[in-house]
Amino acid sequence: MADTSDTRTPAQIEADIKRRREVLAETLDEIGVRVHPQTIIGDAKAKVVANLDHTVGRAYVQVNRMVSEVRAQFVDDEGSPRLERVVPVALLAVGVVGLFAMGRKRRKA
């Protein structure tokens, strides 16, 4: 069996109780701060912002990668344009713009 005898003096017991009350008071204060509506709202906002930052960062990386890949299609390693790829795309763009322009003229008439 466990020995239940206490060899502490009443003053030591009172000091232990006082320390325990202080620790419990701090814990209750911390719990009060954590469950306060403003703290909960602030934590939720911080999580949303962190997730948004992460998502935007990933999107930026993806867009940057895509731009680099497209740029690699139209520019060689030295930085000069690849005319065999630029000219057909430019002609296609001019054709599409021309079709839109002709379509608008027909609607007005």
Side-chain angles (χ1 to χ4, degrees):
M1 281 197 193
D3 185 20
T4 58
S5 64
D6 196 357
T7 58
R8 298 180 297 167
T9 66
Q12 290 173 328
I13 293 172
E14 288 176 10
D16 288 345
I17 291 172
K18 183 178 177 185
R19 276 194 302 270
R20 189 67 157 154
R21 282 184 181 159
E22 290 171 357
V23 169
L24 288 173
E26 288 177 21
T27 303
L28 288 174
D29 288 343
E30 185 177 325
I31 290 171
V33 169
R34 286 184 183 183
V35 299
H36 191 275
Q38 288 301 106
T39 304
I40 294 171
I41 290 169
D43 290 347
K45 285 181 181 178
K47 286 180 185 178
V48 167
V49 168
N51 286 337
L52 184 64
D53 286 347
H54 181 70
T55 302
V56 168
R58 289 179 59 192
Y60 175 78
V61 168
Q62 285 293 95
V63 168
N64 197 16
R65 185 177 295 141
M66 288 172 54
V67 167
S68 295
E69 289 174 2
V70 169
R71 185 172 183 263
Q73 295 293 318
F74 294 104
V75 179
D76 62 11
D77 294 333
E78 296 171 0
S80 59
R82 294 182 177 178
L83 293 179
E84 69 275 4
R85 294 199 179 164
V86 173
V87 171
V89 171
L91 290 174
L92 180 65
V94 168
V96 169
V97 170
L99 287 174
F100 281 131
M102 288 176 57
R104 286 188 180 178
K105 286 182 182 179
R106 287 185 183 169
R107 289 185 199 167
K108 289 183 181 181

